[in-house]
Amino acid sequence: MAQTEDVPWLDDDEQQAWLSLASLLVRLPAALDAQLRRDAGLSHFEYMVLAALSMSDDRTMRMSDLAVIAEGSLSRLSHTCKRLESQQWITRHPDPEDGRITRAFLTEAGYAKVAETAPGHVRTVRRLVLEPLTKAQVDQLATIINRINDAIEPRWP
């Protein structure tokens, strides 16, 4: 690879850190997705949508806000909501205050699905992410992740 003065190439430590992070970015979502599919028949994205609704006021949220929280596009969220509606876990309706906006509502069946699924998901997160670390490392990890997230351009204005 040609070295150029205007490219800040990674040194050996930086390259090792980057490659480790890149591996984690592929392996961790795959492991979380596999556990959820096996145990609950849900993708990780579907679970994130249901979980976000379960934690929101009145178990409802504007679709645009839900897309931001679930880290997905409105298009992806719309397709996912179609599947979740077919399972009767959510419904979508126009916002009563602004009919141009669509809101997603978590049904009682959807809440039951989240409540049934959450313990296995939390155990997996704890086993894969938290248990290998000390308390101090968990705190450092949160700080590091927040700094990286702050450096990334926001997805939505």
Side-chain angles (χ1 to χ4, degrees), residues 21 24-25 28 129-130 133 137-152:
L21 177 59
L24 176 68
L25 293 173
L28 182 59
V129 179
L130 302 173
L133 305 175
Q137 289 171 325
V138 170
D139 294 342
Q140 290 172 333
L141 179 64
T143 299
I144 291 165
I145 291 169
N146 289 333
R147 290 196 61 170
I148 293 170
N149 275 331
D150 289 347
I152 299 170

Side-chain angles (χ1 to χ4, degrees), residues 78 80-93:
S78 181
T80 297
C81 284
K82 197 176 289 188
R83 175 176 161 3
L84 298 175
E85 282 178 312
S86 75
Q87 297 294 318
Q88 300 180 342
W89 293 329
I90 70 161
T91 59
R92 290 181 285 179
H93 304 286

Side-chain angles (χ1 to χ4, degrees), residues 33-94:
D33 203 58
Q35 178 272 318
L36 286 164
R37 286 187 187 282
R38 180 188 66 242
D39 296 348
L42 292 171
S43 70
H44 188 245
F45 186 73
E46 290 167 335
Y47 176 76
M48 293 300 289
V49 168
L50 294 174
L53 287 170
S54 77
M55 294 183 284
S56 66
D57 293 337
D58 299 324
R59 298 181 190 160
T60 183
M61 196 177 294
R62 294 167 71 150
M63 290 286 286
S64 57
D65 294 337
L66 186 54
V68 171
I69 290 170
E71 295 289 339
S73 68
L74 278 171
S75 175
R76 180 179 185 195
L77 179 61
S78 181
H79 290 296
T80 297
C81 284
K82 197 176 289 188
R83 175 176 161 3
L84 298 175
E85 282 178 312
S86 75
Q87 297 294 318
Q88 300 180 342
W89 293 329
I90 70 161
T91 59
R92 290 181 285 179
H93 304 286

Side-chain angles (χ1 to χ4, degrees), residues 4 7 26 36 39 47 57 95 97 99 105 107 110 112 124 132 149 156:
T4 58
V7 176
V26 172
L36 286 164
D39 296 348
Y47 176 76
D57 293 337
D95 188 308
E97 295 175 15
F105 296 83
T107 65
T124 301
N149 275 331
W156 310 101

